[in-house]
Amino acid sequence: MFGRSLMIKSDEEVALLRESGRLVSLVLAEVGRLVRPGISTLDLDRRAEEFIRDHGAAPGFKGFHGYPATLCTSVNHQVVHGIPSSKVVLQDGDIVSVDCGVILNKYHGDSAFTFQVGDVAPEVKDLLEATRASLFEGIRFATTAWRMGDLGSAIQSYCEERGYSVVRELIGHGVGTRLHEPPDVPNYGRRGVGMKLKKNMVICIEPMINMGVRDIYQGQDGWTISTRDHKPSAHFELMVVVGDKEAETISTFSYIDQILN
Ligand code: MG
Ligand code: MG
């Protein structure tokens, strides 16, 4: 269905994806402003949907394969796809991965950030820092000089050198008028292997990194993915345009960083 030409976006499409990337970044910052002990993940979800609609866009996840919410909110040992709930109230010391999608002018934005709730244990902070840094390691390889295996290998080696493990079953993806498009963007790989990256591919790079074993399982709700050993997991995601000399990152954590600092 998607030939190479459809993986490569026109400059007009990239411009639209930039707008979607900016909006999803603003939503995550708005959510980050609210993250604190005592708030439920459903409260975060409601605010995110309101913010998205106020900006003339629609939630990108709601209804996707029947997914019921605007955000995925995955707490502590949950890796991704946690469903927001009034029963999930954030506690001091938790971490919560917030993954958000928007559709603006038919183009998807998709990004994620793992927030600290109150006072988080130093080893968990280290996991968050390493996961975020590994995403930027991957972004360095999102140029036409490299193959997908180089990008994945950069993320994997950064994390494994620090004693963490990389989830295999869930990966990054191309993004456009659909949330998930080719190419696949694994967070692991072998150098020199895989598809050559092409200018104007727009991809979501999203390492999911575990403190313990890499193994995961799906919960009985049919969505929530958790670590097999119930040790913490972190998840950061940005949208990136492949360039000749360097990648252009079209979603950003800078609004989040402004709010948290
Ligand atoms: Mg996402
Ligand atoms: Mg994604």
Side-chain angles (χ1 to χ4, degrees):
M1 179 168 47
F2 282 95
R4 169 147 289 186
S5 63
L6 286 168
M7 288 191 231
I8 296 165
K9 270 48 181 190
S10 69
D11 290 343
E12 291 74 21
E13 289 181 293
V14 170
L16 289 164
L17 283 159
R18 254 186 220 113
E19 293 302 308
S20 304
R22 179 171 177 276
L23 177 58
V24 79
S25 306
L26 289 167
V27 182
L28 287 177
E30 175 63 13
V31 170
R33 198 175 63 75
L34 300 176
V35 167
R36 64 177 66 101
I39 195 164
S40 78
T41 53
L42 185 64
D43 290 333
L44 299 178
D45 192 79
R46 289 200 171 126
R47 178 60 192 137
E49 178 166 1
E50 180 182 56
F51 188 96
I52 290 166
R53 296 198 188 281
D54 285 348
H55 285 76
F61 297 168
K62 213 171 203 180
F64 184 76
H65 296 296
Y67 187 74
T70 294
L71 302 176
C72 296
T73 49
S74 310
V75 180
N76 296 338
H77 64 276
Q78 296 175 346
V79 180
V80 287
H81 303 168
I83 301 173
S85 166
S86 60
K87 296 194 188 84
V88 179
V89 177
L90 297 176
Q91 312 286 327
D92 187 49
D94 283 348
I95 55 172
V96 57
S97 154
V98 177
D99 195 347
C100 182
V102 303
I103 308 169
L104 179 63
N105 300 316
K106 299 200 171 85
Y107 281 80
H108 285 261
D110 179 15
S111 288
F113 191 92
T114 303
F115 294 98
Q116 303 176 33
V117 185
D119 202 12
V120 169
E123 64 268 26
V124 178
K125 283 186 184 175
D126 290 346
L127 171 70
L128 299 186
E129 248 172 59
T131 305
R132 177 174 171 154
S134 77
L135 165 55
F136 287 93
E137 284 298 305
I139 290 172
R140 288 175 48 213
F141 288 83
T143 80
T144 56
W146 301 102
R147 291 178 181 271
M148 204 60 87
D150 296 306
L151 191 162
S153 168
I155 294 171
Q156 181 182 4
S157 57
Y158 187 90
C159 294
E160 289 182 350
E161 279 164 15
R162 286 158 180 79
Y164 303 123
S165 63
V166 178
V167 172
R168 299 295 200 281
E169 293 86 346
L170 299 141
I171 57 177
H173 51 90
V175 63
T177 55
R178 301 176 195 212
L179 176 58
H180 293 158
E181 298 184 358
D184 286 346
V185 184
N187 301 301
Y188 55 90
R190 285 192 295 133
R191 293 175 65 177
V193 170
M195 179 187 288
K196 273 204 81 114
L197 290 156
K198 295 284 182 189
K199 187 177 164 63
N200 275 22
M201 281 181 172
V202 182
I203 56 175
C204 292
I205 306 177
E206 50 178 315
M208 288 151 259
I209 306 301
N210 297 349
M211 186 173 282
V213 299
R214 77 186 202 203
D215 308 80
I216 57 169
Y217 70 94
Q218 188 172 49
Q220 296 198 336
D221 61 11
W223 286 103
T224 309
I225 304 291
S226 297
T227 57
R228 179 68 66 187
D229 60 8
H230 279 202
K231 289 187 177 169
S233 182
H235 177 216
F236 290 82
E237 176 179 20
L238 287 172
M239 299 164 67
V240 166
V241 186
V242 175
D244 283 326
K245 289 265 175 346
E246 57 181 6
E248 180 192 351
T249 305
I250 59 169
S251 59
T252 176
F253 300 143
S254 62
Y255 305 125
I256 296 171
D257 290 338
Q258 279 168 32
I259 273 164
L260 298 184
N261 293 325

